[in-house]
Amino acid sequence: MIRIFRVELAKLGRWPAFWALLALWATLAVMFGYVSEYLAYLTPAAGVTAAQQQATLAAMLPSGVVDKEIPGYPLFGGVIALALGALTAGSDFGWGTWTTILLQDPARVRVAVGKLGALFVAVAGQAAVGFGVAGVASIVVALAQRQPIVAPALGDLLVGLAVAWLILTAWAAVGALLATLLRSTAVPLGIGFAYLLVERLVASLADRSDVIATVARALPGTNAGSLASSILPAGFAVSAPGMNSLVGGGEAAVVLAAYVLATSAITCAVIARRDVR
Amino acid sequence: MSTPPPNTPSPLGPGSTSTPLPTPLVIQTADLSKVYGRGMTAVDQLDLSIRHGEVYGLLGPNGAGKTTTLRMLLGLVRPTSGSGTLLGLPLGDRAGLAQVGALVETPAFYPHLSGRANLHSLAMLANVHADRVATVLRKVGLLDRADDRFATYSLGMKQRLGVAGALLKDPQVLILDEPTNGLDPQGRVEMRELVRSLGQGSRTVVVSSHLLEDVEQICDRVGVLQRGRLIAEKTVAELRGPASLLVRARPPERAGEVLGRLFGLDRVSHDDGAFLIDADPAGAAGEVASRLVAGGVELVELRPVQRSLEAVFLELTGVGGQTEEMN
């Protein structure tokens, strides 16, 4: 298993598409977390009080990196992770490399587990990149505004990373499953993105019906938003898309972990059983 | 999971490992069938027997079931029914597949990696020492372009890299699906020579092709597939049958009389101004020449002829209007 894991990681490390996705994610993280906020701070709209302006600045400082960045993971980060999962799993069908791989190592489940393992490590990289670029941006803001540079608490940072990784891993696993089922890349991407929109719609209607709320609480996006919300300080108002408090943090983590395990198991089973043509 | 020691090829080459072959038949199938969705039968009750050390050709038009057969032998596709063994082990058994190298259909590699990096990845997967990569690259003549990205390779280079990948394990059994596909004439000649050289010694090579010329020049024995069924399995010489003697002479009426008297009318046929005599050319040529001359006939042409594999193939498959490529 460790051999396919290393091969897959090496492949990802030299794959332009992987770096393009990471670059896109980094750009999103900086643009929406810092550039737009910094512009709002520098050129406030009419009616914005000085206290609100100071709060905007305080949220952008290094000590607030986790709280500032984590709301971007459930939806925007999820989109990137889903794309990464679909591209990683689907490209082997597009290139025809499943045959090549299985001719060298015919242990299909071992190969599938190794490939998924590499994908989940790559996703950890995505989680870290988000916080990394946010950290750099926050330092730039602090220097520009002559504010003290205070690092976030290590515990908060590790919790933030773990939460981000679990959210992204769940979406990447869904993307990999879709690509495996459909043996392609484009169609799973389309279905995945459409699903994200539908799920947002369902979540937005959750307060209008108990049945819809029950359904929404079982969905990965809802649980991702709830898990991210659960690590924010009490009273920390966030209006970012994908954030919600429908589910408790613990339950959300368990549901997301279940999604990772279930989708990975189905992916492995499909790869193990299906003809490679 | 424990990691076995690297699958280092024996310096003595394939077949020299300590694992004895449990049967002289390297590949054997019985009633092997594959039916895809909607009842499309790709392979129909196939009985194959491929011997140790031979170069075996699977010949058939596109869609005859060659690739599906190879995929079943390699554990990539599950048979719908029937059974088979590879190196004495059931089809799909990992121990058997560990001794097999294969190129199936189009060579498929990561386009953004170099040929060398691709082979290093495969070597790692196969648990083969990395040194083997340079050896196989040299063997297929790709060493000078090994560090270029796979996406930049020509079709011929891709085919050669595919063969290199198949050779990584220094396999006892080498399975090549249409290895000359898409190659230019020079590339085809080189690939045929390479495959032929790989089949020397104790290695068993299975080559599928729809190109009669390939099979004729590469293979010891041929299995002819049509619509998933094996309709013939013989050596190339057996398939072609014995050689005949071709005679052109003037006047043809008189020549026909002489030849009919000599061999009997049932062994002499006449077509397009030439007589074809069903007799061993080496033994009969002298007698034919002297009798014709003695009978006052002018001998224009006298030579041995053998049916082309193409003619045999058309006869076996009943496919008309085909030329070299049985598409």
Side-chain angles (χ1 to χ4, degrees), chain A residues 3-4 6-7 11 14-15 92 95-97 99-101 103-108 110 272-273 275-277, chain B residues 1 3 34 36 71 75-78 94 97 102 108-112 121-122 124-127 165 169:
Chain A
R3 294 197 297 269
I4 179 68
R6 287 173 59 192
V7 165
K11 179 198 85 175
R14 284 184 272 181
W15 191 23
D92 276 314
W95 293 328
T97 36
T99 297
T100 309
I101 291 167
L103 286 175
Q104 301 297 340
D105 185 357
R108 295 188 182 199
R110 179 170 69 198
R273 294 194 58 80
D275 287 345
V276 178
R277 287 191 264 164
Chain B
M1 188 174 293
T3 305
K34 180 66 185 179
Y36 287 118
R71 285 186 181 274
L76 296 169
V77 166
R78 283 186 174 75
R94 285 184 215 163
L97 293 172
F109 293 92
Y110 297 130
H112 58 284
S121 295
L122 297 188
M124 193 183 288
L125 282 176
N127 206 17
K169 290 186 271 191

Side-chain angles (χ1 to χ4, degrees), chain A residues 21 38 73-74 76 96 108 125 145 156 162-163 165 174 202 207 215 219 223 247 251 253 257 264:
Chain A
L21 279 176
Y38 195 57
Y73 281 83
F76 300 118
R108 295 188 182 199
Q145 295 300 317
D156 291 347
V163 163
W165 177 78
V174 169
V202 172
D207 57 351
V215 171
L219 300 176
N223 286 278
V247 184
E251 182 185 334
S264 299

Side-chain angles (χ1 to χ4, degrees), chain B residues 142-255:
Chain B
L142 209 55
L143 210 46
D144 57 333
R145 292 287 307 272
D147 295 313
D148 293 347
R149 285 191 308 128
F150 177 72
T152 67
Y153 283 9
S154 66
L155 191 54
M157 291 163 69
K158 288 177 179 175
Q159 290 285 80
R160 280 189 278 163
L161 188 67
V163 174
L167 290 172
L168 271 175
K169 290 186 271 191
D170 196 10
Q172 290 186 43
V173 180
L174 183 64
I175 295 178
L176 301 173
D177 186 14
E178 309 268 7
T180 61
N181 226 7
L183 300 185
D184 59 24
Q186 176 67 24
R188 282 170 62 181
V189 169
E190 289 174 6
M191 184 59 78
R192 282 189 206 126
E193 286 171 359
L194 175 64
V195 175
R196 191 72 231 183
S197 72
L198 294 172
Q200 285 169 357
S202 59
R203 179 184 280 130
T204 306
V205 180
V206 181
V207 180
S208 90
S209 182
H210 64 282
L211 301 175
L212 296 158
E213 207 180 331
D214 287 353
V215 171
E216 196 161 19
Q217 293 182 24
I218 295 172
C219 301
D220 303 319
R221 227 155 50 93
V222 181
V224 182
L225 280 180
Q226 189 189 27
R227 296 193 190 94
R229 281 184 165 272
L230 187 69
I231 55 174
E233 189 179 49
K234 294 175 179 175
T235 64
V236 172
E238 284 170 348
L239 272 176
R240 284 175 146 187
S244 315
L245 194 61
L246 181 137
V247 178
R248 284 184 200 275
R250 284 196 290 259
E253 297 78 15
R254 176 73 190 132

Side-chain angles (χ1 to χ4, degrees), chain B residues 48-63:
Chain B
L48 275 183
S49 301
I50 300 176
R51 298 169 195 147
H52 176 66
E54 72 177 343
V55 180
Y56 186 94
L58 262 184
L59 179 65
N62 290 338

